[in-house]
Amino acid sequence: DGGITQSPKYLFRKEGQNVTLSCEQNLNHDAMYWYRQDPGQGLRLIYYSQIVNDFQKGDIAEGYSVSREKKESFPLTVTSAQKNPTAFYLCASSIHSGEQPGGYTFGSGTRLTVV
Amino acid sequence: GNSVTQMEGPVTLSEEAFLTINCTYTATGYPSLFWYVQYPGEGLQLLLKATKADDKGSNKGFEATYRKETTSFHLEKGSVQVSDSAVYFCALRRAAGNKLTFGGGTRVLVKP
């Protein structure tokens, strides 16, 4: 079955460390997205990529970095510059073209905790 | 710009009660409209969608009708269960090349 896989499900980071969250999809979707969700809050867009080797900042990109070297993969690095990284991170993908705008497919999320 | 406004939660209901979650939107043209559901500790799942005016999306007993005249897409379910406890997000997308615009989410708690 096609889908989008995030790993790990839980991640613990020491202060000052960089960590990378994995997101892989086998849906042949063009676009991929990273969101952050804080407890009881909505979704905030960190970065998105509409094609390979290209990505754009979302609303809260500071302290994060991404790459899009392959269509299937869109890893997110949470750097030490991100002052409050503890949150739930969601990856999503979608078709980027076509007449009818479809929705996104989401992964199951990675919960990052700074210890 | 585009925006989606949802009623604030939490919404607390008893089992078998009727659920309505209001959603209104602002967008030019004819966006597609979506409802997503997020169960505790999980990602978002597409619940239903509608792509043109007067379309009704339905799934798992939930329904929502695309009302162009009132720019609304209210979610309804006639008889909720404890398993419907989740956060519900309304969203719109103007075109395939555009990003989804999400509402802030509405937490629903169904008590036995």
Side-chain angles (χ1 to χ4, degrees):
Chain A
D1 285 341
I4 183 165
T5 302
Q6 289 188 241
S7 61
K9 191 169 179 66
Y10 299 95
L11 187 57
F12 297 90
R13 190 195 94 170
K14 293 182 179 179
E15 294 214 24
Q17 281 184 338
N18 293 354
V19 289
T20 297
L21 284 60
S22 171
C23 179
E24 303 275 336
Q25 54 99 359
N26 60 3
L27 299 165
N28 200 32
H29 284 175
D30 309 296
M32 298 186 74
Y33 312 84
W34 274 106
Y35 287 89
R36 170 179 171 141
Q37 188 178 32
D38 292 286
Q41 303 297 311
L43 304 174
R44 292 189 289 170
L45 183 64
I46 305 172
Y47 269 98
Y48 63 103
S49 167
Q50 295 175 328
I51 56 172
V52 175
N53 293 322
D54 189 42
F55 48 83
Q56 287 79 41
K57 293 181 179 180
D59 302 316
I60 56 164
E62 185 175 351
Y64 299 97
S65 66
V66 293
S67 63
R68 188 85 187 279
E69 297 176 1
K70 299 186 299 182
K71 189 175 185 178
E72 302 79 23
S73 178
F74 191 41
L76 173 74
T77 297
V78 184
T79 75
S80 56
Q82 170 51 238
K83 296 307 178 189
N84 185 21
T86 295
F88 190 51
Y89 290 87
L90 287 162
C91 181
S93 67
S94 74
I95 296 172
H96 183 54
S97 60
E99 291 187 4
Q100 208 59 259
Y104 292 177
T105 301
F106 281 85
S108 57
T110 293
R111 187 167 300 281
L112 173 63
T113 304
V114 173
V115 295
Chain B
N2 303 327
S3 67
V4 176
T5 302
Q6 291 181 236
M7 58 189 292
E8 289 202 18
V11 175
T12 303
L13 303 165
S14 296
E15 210 164 19
E16 300 183 1
F18 186 87
L19 171 67
T20 299
I21 304 176
N22 289 341
C23 171
T24 57
Y25 68 90
T26 302
T28 56
Y30 299 91
S32 290
L33 302 175
F34 307 86
W35 276 102
Y36 284 84
V37 59
Q38 184 181 31
Y39 299 105
E42 297 183 10
L44 277 68
Q45 301 174 24
L46 180 64
L47 182 59
L48 54 83
K49 69 177 183 181
T51 57
K52 60 183 187 295
D54 300 324
D55 266 1
K56 178 184 283 188
S58 61
N59 187 24
K60 299 181 180 180
F62 289 89
E63 291 184 342
T65 301
Y66 189 143
R67 301 289 189 199
K68 182 71 175 173
E69 64 276 12
T70 55
T71 62
S72 64
F73 193 54
H74 305 321
L75 183 68
E76 298 181 335
K77 186 174 185 182
S79 176
V80 293
Q81 305 300 313
V82 172
S83 57
D84 293 324
S85 298
V87 180
Y88 294 83
F89 290 92
C90 186
L92 72 82
R93 195 175 191 190
R94 282 191 54 229
N98 294 131
K99 300 188 295 296
L100 268 178
T101 299
F102 286 95
T106 301
R107 182 174 301 275
V108 173
L109 177 61
V110 181
K111 296 185 174 181

